[in-house]
Amino acid sequence: MTEYPHLSLAQVYAALAYYYANQEAMDREIALYQAECNALETKWMSGNFA
């Protein structure tokens, strides 16, 4: 909480509750995002970003 003083404890609990209620879908979204980031990084590092 010290890293995010603008969030209340209730907001943190709400975010955690939402995540755990939707964990499968959220984990899928996170994996897709990471895969896209990795693909873009690979493309950038290869110099083929045009």
Side-chain angles (χ1 to χ4, degrees), residues 4-35:
Y4 303 99
H6 59 283
L7 295 177
S8 69
L9 190 55
Q11 290 172 308
V12 172
Y13 283 137
L16 289 171
Y18 181 85
Y19 172 75
Y20 286 115
N22 301 284
Q23 187 172 1
E24 188 176 310
M26 293 198 64
D27 287 348
R28 207 171 28 251
E29 284 291 321
I30 291 167
L32 288 171
Y33 177 75
Q34 287 175 332

Side-chain angles (χ1 to χ4, degrees), residues 30-47:
I30 291 167
L32 288 171
Y33 177 75
Q34 287 175 332
E36 182 180 5
C37 289
N38 290 340
L40 288 170
E41 181 182 22
T42 299
K43 191 173 182 180
W44 177 262
M45 295 303 282
S46 72

